[in-house]
Amino acid sequence: MTAVREPQQDRSRATRERLLDATVEMLASQGWAATTVAAVAESAGVSRGAAQHHFPTREALIIAVMEQMFEAMTRDASATITELPDELEPRVALVVDKAVAIYTGTEFKAALQVWAAAASDPVLREAILPLEAKLARAAHRFTVTALDPSGKNPDAHRLAQITLDLARGLGLADTLSDDSRRRKQVVAAWSQQLVAALSR
């Protein structure tokens, strides 16, 4: 009986993952209005009945996607701390690049669509706020620890928050057009400022 059940469970997990992946891509590229359970099912190559078995409502699908995205982004931010170079300049460059990457990727673009919808949907907002807060804490913790591994710089918290605010702003700018050229210049300039501030 177990031998029969396991492949079924594997198939069910694979179907769920396809639906979640398709939802992220559709939110990021086509927006909130286009991202319905039926459209996601078609994009994922899954029958509408199978999609509704996993996610009976659009809200269930969106919340599951947000949970997965924020967990992955939080895990990713935390894991990077162990891979940082000791030298200040390359470490700062990596930290700033990482902060910007958090807010310019497909996941952030998808999350923006949900945040905009949640602004006028109290149920969705209540589900999303704790996830966003968890990501914000992880990103801030990563940035502070990475900028100031010794924990002795009194400006580290302030500099980390500015870095994340800058990264979020660059992420917003990137949603309407390819802002990569200007973003590269801004990141380089801010990295130099951070090195100077942390060297004092």
mmCIF file with all atom_site columns, all heavy atoms in Angstrom, residues 125-145:
data_model
loop_
_atom_site.group_PDB
_atom_site.id
_atom_site.type_symbol
_atom_site.label_atom_id
_atom_site.label_alt_id
_atom_site.label_comp_id
_atom_site.label_asym_id
_atom_site.label_entity_id
_atom_site.label_seq_id
_atom_site.pdbx_PDB_ins_code
_atom_site.Cartn_x
_atom_site.Cartn_y
_atom_site.Cartn_z
_atom_site.occupancy
_atom_site.B_iso_or_equiv
_atom_site.pdbx_formal_charge
_atom_site.auth_seq_id
_atom_site.auth_comp_id
_atom_site.auth_asym_id
_atom_site.auth_atom_id
_atom_site.pdbx_PDB_model_num
ATOM 1   N N   . ARG A 1 125 ? -4.771 41.141 3.414  1.00 0.00 ? 125 ARG A N   1
ATOM 2   C CA  . ARG A 1 125 ? -3.767 41.940 4.129  1.00 0.00 ? 125 ARG A CA  1
ATOM 3   C C   . ARG A 1 125 ? -3.383 41.288 5.447  1.00 0.00 ? 125 ARG A C   1
ATOM 4   O O   . ARG A 1 125 ? -2.199 41.225 5.808  1.00 0.00 ? 125 ARG A O   1
ATOM 5   C CB  . ARG A 1 125 ? -4.299 43.355 4.365  1.00 0.00 ? 125 ARG A CB  1
ATOM 6   C CG  . ARG A 1 125 ? -3.270 44.278 5.016  1.00 0.00 ? 125 ARG A CG  1
ATOM 7   C CD  . ARG A 1 125 ? -3.690 45.733 4.958  1.00 0.00 ? 125 ARG A CD  1
ATOM 8   N NE  . ARG A 1 125 ? -4.900 45.999 5.720  1.00 0.00 ? 125 ARG A NE  1
ATOM 9   C CZ  . ARG A 1 125 ? -6.069 46.363 5.181  1.00 0.00 ? 125 ARG A CZ  1
ATOM 10  N NH1 . ARG A 1 125 ? -6.199 46.471 3.872  1.00 0.00 ? 125 ARG A NH1 1
ATOM 11  N NH2 . ARG A 1 125 ? -7.119 46.601 5.943  1.00 0.00 ? 125 ARG A NH2 1
ATOM 12  N N   . GLU A 1 126 ? -4.360 40.784 6.169  1.00 0.00 ? 126 GLU A N   1
ATOM 13  C CA  . GLU A 1 126 ? -4.086 40.142 7.459  1.00 0.00 ? 126 GLU A CA  1
ATOM 14  C C   . GLU A 1 126 ? -3.210 38.910 7.285  1.00 0.00 ? 126 GLU A C   1
ATOM 15  O O   . GLU A 1 126 ? -2.368 38.611 8.132  1.00 0.00 ? 126 GLU A O   1
ATOM 16  C CB  . GLU A 1 126 ? -5.409 39.744 8.129  1.00 0.00 ? 126 GLU A CB  1
ATOM 17  C CG  . GLU A 1 126 ? -5.236 39.230 9.546  1.00 0.00 ? 126 GLU A CG  1
ATOM 18  C CD  . GLU A 1 126 ? -6.574 38.942 10.217 1.00 0.00 ? 126 GLU A CD  1
ATOM 19  O OE1 . GLU A 1 126 ? -7.612 39.402 9.724  1.00 0.00 ? 126 GLU A OE1 1
ATOM 20  O OE2 . GLU A 1 126 ? -6.554 38.241 11.243 1.00 0.00 ? 126 GLU A OE2 1
ATOM 21  N N   . ALA A 1 127 ? -3.381 38.189 6.175  1.00 0.00 ? 127 ALA A N   1
ATOM 22  C CA  . ALA A 1 127 ? -2.578 36.995 5.923  1.00 0.00 ? 127 ALA A CA  1
ATOM 23  C C   . ALA A 1 127 ? -1.165 37.344 5.481  1.00 0.00 ? 127 ALA A C   1
ATOM 24  O O   . ALA A 1 127 ? -0.203 36.634 5.808  1.00 0.00 ? 127 ALA A O   1
ATOM 25  C CB  . ALA A 1 127 ? -3.251 36.130 4.854  1.00 0.00 ? 127 ALA A CB  1
ATOM 26  N N   . ILE A 1 128 ? -1.015 38.449 4.751  1.00 0.00 ? 128 ILE A N   1
ATOM 27  C CA  . ILE A 1 128 ? 0.265  38.803 4.148  1.00 0.00 ? 128 ILE A CA  1
ATOM 28  C C   . ILE A 1 128 ? 1.189  39.556 5.106  1.00 0.00 ? 128 ILE A C   1
ATOM 29  O O   . ILE A 1 128 ? 2.405  39.359 5.089  1.00 0.00 ? 128 ILE A O   1
ATOM 30  C CB  . ILE A 1 128 ? 0.027  39.660 2.877  1.00 0.00 ? 128 ILE A CB  1
ATOM 31  C CG1 . ILE A 1 128 ? -0.748 38.865 1.833  1.00 0.00 ? 128 ILE A CG1 1
ATOM 32  C CG2 . ILE A 1 128 ? 1.353  40.142 2.291  1.00 0.00 ? 128 ILE A CG2 1
ATOM 33  C CD1 . ILE A 1 128 ? -0.190 37.514 1.507  1.00 0.00 ? 128 ILE A CD1 1
ATOM 34  N N   . LEU A 1 129 ? 0.647  40.408 5.951  1.00 0.00 ? 129 LEU A N   1
ATOM 35  C CA  . LEU A 1 129 ? 1.480  41.261 6.804  1.00 0.00 ? 129 LEU A CA  1
ATOM 36  C C   . LEU A 1 129 ? 2.506  40.495 7.649  1.00 0.00 ? 129 LEU A C   1
ATOM 37  O O   . LEU A 1 129 ? 3.673  40.889 7.700  1.00 0.00 ? 129 LEU A O   1
ATOM 38  C CB  . LEU A 1 129 ? 0.597  42.131 7.709  1.00 0.00 ? 129 LEU A CB  1
ATOM 39  C CG  . LEU A 1 129 ? 0.055  43.414 7.062  1.00 0.00 ? 129 LEU A CG  1
ATOM 40  C CD1 . LEU A 1 129 ? -0.898 44.125 8.010  1.00 0.00 ? 129 LEU A CD1 1
ATOM 41  C CD2 . LEU A 1 129 ? 1.197  44.350 6.658  1.00 0.00 ? 129 LEU A CD2 1
ATOM 42  N N   . PRO A 1 130 ? 2.131  39.397 8.318  1.00 0.00 ? 130 PRO A N   1
ATOM 43  C CA  . PRO A 1 130 ? 3.137  38.672 9.103  1.00 0.00 ? 130 PRO A CA  1
ATOM 44  C C   . PRO A 1 130 ? 4.268  38.095 8.246  1.00 0.00 ? 130 PRO A C   1
ATOM 45  O O   . PRO A 1 130 ? 5.415  38.034 8.688  1.00 0.00 ? 130 PRO A O   1
ATOM 46  C CB  . PRO A 1 130 ? 2.334  37.536 9.766  1.00 0.00 ? 130 PRO A CB  1
ATOM 47  C CG  . PRO A 1 130 ? 0.914  37.965 9.682  1.00 0.00 ? 130 PRO A CG  1
ATOM 48  C CD  . PRO A 1 130 ? 0.796  38.796 8.451  1.00 0.00 ? 130 PRO A CD  1
ATOM 49  N N   . LEU A 1 131 ? 3.947  37.681 7.024  1.00 0.00 ? 131 LEU A N   1
ATOM 50  C CA  . LEU A 1 131 ? 4.964  37.126 6.134  1.00 0.00 ? 131 LEU A CA  1
ATOM 51  C C   . LEU A 1 131 ? 5.938  38.218 5.696  1.00 0.00 ? 131 LEU A C   1
ATOM 52  O O   . LEU A 1 131 ? 7.153  38.021 5.678  1.00 0.00 ? 131 LEU A O   1
ATOM 53  C CB  . LEU A 1 131 ? 4.304  36.507 4.895  1.00 0.00 ? 131 LEU A CB  1
ATOM 54  C CG  . LEU A 1 131 ? 3.303  35.376 5.160  1.00 0.00 ? 131 LEU A CG  1
ATOM 55  C CD1 . LEU A 1 131 ? 2.626  34.949 3.864  1.00 0.00 ? 131 LEU A CD1 1
ATOM 56  C CD2 . LEU A 1 131 ? 4.010  34.186 5.793  1.00 0.00 ? 131 LEU A CD2 1
ATOM 57  N N   . GLU A 1 132 ? 5.397  39.389 5.365  1.00 0.00 ? 132 GLU A N   1
ATOM 58  C CA  . GLU A 1 132 ? 6.240  40.503 4.953  1.00 0.00 ? 132 GLU A CA  1
ATOM 59  C C   . GLU A 1 132 ? 7.131  40.954 6.107  1.00 0.00 ? 132 GLU A C   1
ATOM 60  O O   . GLU A 1 132 ? 8.307  41.258 5.921  1.00 0.00 ? 132 GLU A O   1
ATOM 61  C CB  . GLU A 1 132 ? 5.357  41.662 4.471  1.00 0.00 ? 132 GLU A CB  1
ATOM 62  C CG  . GLU A 1 132 ? 6.104  42.724 3.680  1.00 0.00 ? 132 GLU A CG  1
ATOM 63  C CD  . GLU A 1 132 ? 6.833  43.718 4.558  1.00 0.00 ? 132 GLU A CD  1
ATOM 64  O OE1 . GLU A 1 132 ? 6.402  43.922 5.707  1.00 0.00 ? 132 GLU A OE1 1
ATOM 65  O OE2 . GLU A 1 132 ? 7.836  44.290 4.095  1.00 0.00 ? 132 GLU A OE2 1
ATOM 66  N N   . ALA A 1 133 ? 6.566  40.961 7.316  1.00 0.00 ? 133 ALA A N   1
ATOM 67  C CA  . ALA A 1 133 ? 7.349  41.370 8.494  1.00 0.00 ? 133 ALA A CA  1
ATOM 68  C C   . ALA A 1 133 ? 8.488  40.389 8.753  1.00 0.00 ? 133 ALA A C   1
ATOM 69  O O   . ALA A 1 133 ? 9.600  40.789 9.116  1.00 0.00 ? 133 ALA A O   1
ATOM 70  C CB  . ALA A 1 133 ? 6.433  41.461 9.717  1.00 0.00 ? 133 ALA A CB  1
ATOM 71  N N   . LYS A 1 134 ? 8.226  39.106 8.545  1.00 0.00 ? 134 LYS A N   1
ATOM 72  C CA  . LYS A 1 134 ? 9.255  38.084 8.753  1.00 0.00 ? 134 LYS A CA  1
ATOM 73  C C   . LYS A 1 134 ? 10.398 38.270 7.765  1.00 0.00 ? 134 LYS A C   1
ATOM 74  O O   . LYS A 1 134 ? 11.578 38.178 8.118  1.00 0.00 ? 134 LYS A O   1
ATOM 75  C CB  . LYS A 1 134 ? 8.635  36.689 8.603  1.00 0.00 ? 134 LYS A CB  1
ATOM 76  C CG  . LYS A 1 134 ? 9.595  35.556 8.925  1.00 0.00 ? 134 LYS A CG  1
ATOM 77  C CD  . LYS A 1 134 ? 8.876  34.216 8.832  1.00 0.00 ? 134 LYS A CD  1
ATOM 78  C CE  . LYS A 1 134 ? 9.828  33.072 9.158  1.00 0.00 ? 134 LYS A CE  1
ATOM 79  N NZ  . LYS A 1 134 ? 9.166  31.757 9.039  1.00 0.00 ? 134 LYS A NZ  1
ATOM 80  N N   . LEU A 1 135 ? 10.058 38.539 6.499  1.00 0.00 ? 135 LEU A N   1
ATOM 81  C CA  . LEU A 1 135 ? 11.089 38.782 5.492  1.00 0.00 ? 135 LEU A CA  1
ATOM 82  C C   . LEU A 1 135 ? 11.883 40.041 5.844  1.00 0.00 ? 135 LEU A C   1
ATOM 83  O O   . LEU A 1 135 ? 13.120 40.047 5.748  1.00 0.00 ? 135 LEU A O   1
ATOM 84  C CB  . LEU A 1 135 ? 10.462 38.934 4.104  1.00 0.00 ? 135 LEU A CB  1
ATOM 85  C CG  . LEU A 1 135 ? 11.428 39.398 3.008  1.00 0.00 ? 135 LEU A CG  1
ATOM 86  C CD1 . LEU A 1 135 ? 12.519 38.369 2.767  1.00 0.00 ? 135 LEU A CD1 1
ATOM 87  C CD2 . LEU A 1 135 ? 10.677 39.688 1.716  1.00 0.00 ? 135 LEU A CD2 1
ATOM 88  N N   . ALA A 1 136 ? 11.187 41.095 6.227  1.00 0.00 ? 136 ALA A N   1
ATOM 89  C CA  . ALA A 1 136 ? 11.862 42.355 6.559  1.00 0.00 ? 136 ALA A CA  1
ATOM 90  C C   . ALA A 1 136 ? 12.854 42.150 7.709  1.00 0.00 ? 136 ALA A C   1
ATOM 91  O O   . ALA A 1 136 ? 13.981 42.667 7.674  1.00 0.00 ? 136 ALA A O   1
ATOM 92  C CB  . ALA A 1 136 ? 10.837 43.419 6.927  1.00 0.00 ? 136 ALA A CB  1
ATOM 93  N N   . ARG A 1 137 ? 12.449 41.372 8.724  1.00 0.00 ? 137 ARG A N   1
ATOM 94  C CA  . ARG A 1 137 ? 13.354 41.095 9.852  1.00 0.00 ? 137 ARG A CA  1
ATOM 95  C C   . ARG A 1 137 ? 14.575 40.307 9.395  1.00 0.00 ? 137 ARG A C   1
ATOM 96  O O   . ARG A 1 137 ? 15.708 40.599 9.794  1.00 0.00 ? 137 ARG A O   1
ATOM 97  C CB  . ARG A 1 137 ? 12.607 40.332 10.953 1.00 0.00 ? 137 ARG A CB  1
ATOM 98  C CG  . ARG A 1 137 ? 11.649 41.182 11.768 1.00 0.00 ? 137 ARG A CG  1
ATOM 99  C CD  . ARG A 1 137 ? 11.213 40.457 13.036 1.00 0.00 ? 137 ARG A CD  1
ATOM 100 N NE  . ARG A 1 137 ? 10.551 39.192 12.753 1.00 0.00 ? 137 ARG A NE  1
ATOM 101 C CZ  . ARG A 1 137 ? 9.237  39.061 12.543 1.00 0.00 ? 137 ARG A CZ  1
ATOM 102 N NH1 . ARG A 1 137 ? 8.453  40.136 12.569 1.00 0.00 ? 137 ARG A NH1 1
ATOM 103 N NH2 . ARG A 1 137 ? 8.702  37.875 12.330 1.00 0.00 ? 137 ARG A NH2 1
ATOM 104 N N   . ALA A 1 138 ? 14.357 39.296 8.563  1.00 0.00 ? 138 ALA A N   1
ATOM 105 C CA  . ALA A 1 138 ? 15.471 38.468 8.087  1.00 0.00 ? 138 ALA A CA  1
ATOM 106 C C   . ALA A 1 138 ? 16.425 39.289 7.221  1.00 0.00 ? 138 ALA A C   1
ATOM 107 O O   . ALA A 1 138 ? 17.646 39.176 7.351  1.00 0.00 ? 138 ALA A O   1
ATOM 108 C CB  . ALA A 1 138 ? 14.942 37.273 7.297  1.00 0.00 ? 138 ALA A CB  1
ATOM 109 N N   . ALA A 1 139 ? 15.864 40.131 6.348  1.00 0.00 ? 139 ALA A N   1
ATOM 110 C CA  . ALA A 1 139 ? 16.704 40.955 5.482  1.00 0.00 ? 139 ALA A CA  1
ATOM 111 C C   . ALA A 1 139 ? 17.513 41.949 6.308  1.00 0.00 ? 139 ALA A C   1
ATOM 112 O O   . ALA A 1 139 ? 18.710 42.167 6.052  1.00 0.00 ? 139 ALA A O   1
ATOM 113 C CB  . ALA A 1 139 ? 15.834 41.690 4.465  1.00 0.00 ? 139 ALA A CB  1
ATOM 114 N N   . HIS A 1 140 ? 16.881 42.537 7.312  1.00 0.00 ? 140 HIS A N   1
ATOM 115 C CA  . HIS A 1 140 ? 17.587 43.504 8.159  1.00 0.00 ? 140 HIS A CA  1
ATOM 116 C C   . HIS A 1 140 ? 18.667 42.815 8.983  1.00 0.00 ? 140 HIS A C   1
ATOM 117 O O   . HIS A 1 140 ? 19.798 43.307 9.095  1.00 0.00 ? 140 HIS A O   1
ATOM 118 C CB  . HIS A 1 140 ? 16.599 44.231 9.072  1.00 0.00 ? 140 HIS A CB  1
ATOM 119 C CG  . HIS A 1 140 ? 17.220 45.371 9.819  1.00 0.00 ? 140 HIS A CG  1
ATOM 120 N ND1 . HIS A 1 140 ? 17.683 45.248 11.117 1.00 0.00 ? 140 HIS A ND1 1
ATOM 121 C CD2 . HIS A 1 140 ? 17.478 46.667 9.440  1.00 0.00 ? 140 HIS A CD2 1
ATOM 122 C CE1 . HIS A 1 140 ? 18.180 46.409 11.505 1.00 0.00 ? 140 HIS A CE1 1
ATOM 123 N NE2 . HIS A 1 140 ? 18.072 47.277 10.518 1.00 0.00 ? 140 HIS A NE2 1
ATOM 124 N N   . ARG A 1 141 ? 18.334 41.658 9.550  1.00 0.00 ? 141 ARG A N   1
ATOM 125 C CA  . ARG A 1 141 ? 19.311 40.904 10.354 1.00 0.00 ? 141 ARG A CA  1
ATOM 126 C C   . ARG A 1 141 ? 20.520 40.516 9.505  1.00 0.00 ? 141 ARG A C   1
ATOM 127 O O   . ARG A 1 141 ? 21.667 40.653 9.926  1.00 0.00 ? 141 ARG A O   1
ATOM 128 C CB  . ARG A 1 141 ? 18.643 39.657 10.939 1.00 0.00 ? 141 ARG A CB  1
ATOM 129 C CG  . ARG A 1 141 ? 19.537 38.856 11.887 1.00 0.00 ? 141 ARG A CG  1
ATOM 130 C CD  . ARG A 1 141 ? 18.746 37.799 12.632 1.00 0.00 ? 141 ARG A CD  1
ATOM 131 N NE  . ARG A 1 141 ? 18.062 36.870 11.735 1.00 0.00 ? 141 ARG A NE  1
ATOM 132 C CZ  . ARG A 1 141 ? 16.738 36.812 11.561 1.00 0.00 ? 141 ARG A CZ  1
ATOM 133 N NH1 . ARG A 1 141 ? 15.951 37.642 12.228 1.00 0.00 ? 141 ARG A NH1 1
ATOM 134 N NH2 . ARG A 1 141 ? 16.212 35.938 10.743 1.00 0.00 ? 141 ARG A NH2 1
ATOM 135 N N   . PHE A 1 142 ? 20.252 40.019 8.296  1.00 0.00 ? 142 PHE A N   1
ATOM 136 C CA  . PHE A 1 142 ? 21.332 39.651 7.381  1.00 0.00 ? 142 PHE A CA  1
ATOM 137 C C   . PHE A 1 142 ? 22.208 40.858 7.069  1.00 0.00 ? 142 PHE A C   1
ATOM 138 O O   . PHE A 1 142 ? 23.436 40.787 7.131  1.00 0.00 ? 142 PHE A O   1
ATOM 139 C CB  . PHE A 1 142 ? 20.757 39.077 6.068  1.00 0.00 ? 142 PHE A CB  1
ATOM 140 C CG  . PHE A 1 142 ? 21.652 39.284 4.880  1.00 0.00 ? 142 PHE A CG  1
ATOM 141 C CD1 . PHE A 1 142 ? 22.818 38.541 4.749  1.00 0.00 ? 142 PHE A CD1 1
ATOM 142 C CD2 . PHE A 1 142 ? 21.350 40.234 3.910  1.00 0.00 ? 142 PHE A CD2 1
ATOM 143 C CE1 . PHE A 1 142 ? 23.665 38.743 3.667  1.00 0.00 ? 142 PHE A CE1 1
ATOM 144 C CE2 . PHE A 1 142 ? 22.182 40.439 2.835  1.00 0.00 ? 142 PHE A CE2 1
ATOM 145 C CZ  . PHE A 1 142 ? 23.345 39.691 2.707  1.00 0.00 ? 142 PHE A CZ  1
ATOM 146 N N   . THR A 1 143 ? 21.583 41.986 6.755  1.00 0.00 ? 143 THR A N   1
ATOM 147 C CA  . THR A 1 143 ? 22.339 43.167 6.335  1.00 0.00 ? 143 THR A CA  1
ATOM 148 C C   . THR A 1 143 ? 23.174 43.723 7.474  1.00 0.00 ? 143 THR A C   1
ATOM 149 O O   . THR A 1 143 ? 24.358 44.056 7.293  1.00 0.00 ? 143 THR A O   1
ATOM 150 C CB  . THR A 1 143 ? 21.384 44.246 5.775  1.00 0.00 ? 143 THR A CB  1
ATOM 151 O OG1 . THR A 1 143 ? 20.540 43.656 4.779  1.00 0.00 ? 143 THR A OG1 1
ATOM 152 C CG2 . THR A 1 143 ? 22.161 45.391 5.141  1.00 0.00 ? 143 THR A CG2 1
ATOM 153 N N   . VAL A 1 144 ? 22.610 43.802 8.676  1.00 0.00 ? 144 VAL A N   1
ATOM 154 C CA  . VAL A 1 144 ? 23.362 44.297 9.830  1.00 0.00 ? 144 VAL A CA  1
ATOM 155 C C   . VAL A 1 144 ? 24.542 43.383 10.132 1.00 0.00 ? 144 VAL A C   1
ATOM 156 O O   . VAL A 1 144 ? 25.683 43.833 10.297 1.00 0.00 ? 144 VAL A O   1
ATOM 157 C CB  . VAL A 1 144 ? 22.450 44.405 11.074 1.00 0.00 ? 144 VAL A CB  1
ATOM 158 C CG1 . VAL A 1 144 ? 23.284 44.678 12.327 1.00 0.00 ? 144 VAL A CG1 1
ATOM 159 C CG2 . VAL A 1 144 ? 21.419 45.502 10.890 1.00 0.00 ? 144 VAL A CG2 1
ATOM 160 N N   . THR A 1 145 ? 24.293 42.085 10.202 1.00 0.00 ? 145 THR A N   1
ATOM 161 C CA  . THR A 1 145 ? 25.335 41.111 10.534 1.00 0.00 ? 145 THR A CA  1
ATOM 162 C C   . THR A 1 145 ? 26.436 41.101 9.483  1.00 0.00 ? 145 THR A C   1
ATOM 163 O O   . THR A 1 145 ? 27.626 41.003 9.799  1.00 0.00 ? 145 THR A O   1
ATOM 164 C CB  . THR A 1 145 ? 24.732 39.697 10.663 1.00 0.00 ? 145 THR A CB  1
ATOM 165 O OG1 . THR A 1 145 ? 23.697 39.728 11.634 1.00 0.00 ? 145 THR A OG1 1
ATOM 166 C CG2 . THR A 1 145 ? 25.780 38.682 11.071 1.00 0.00 ? 145 THR A CG2 1
#
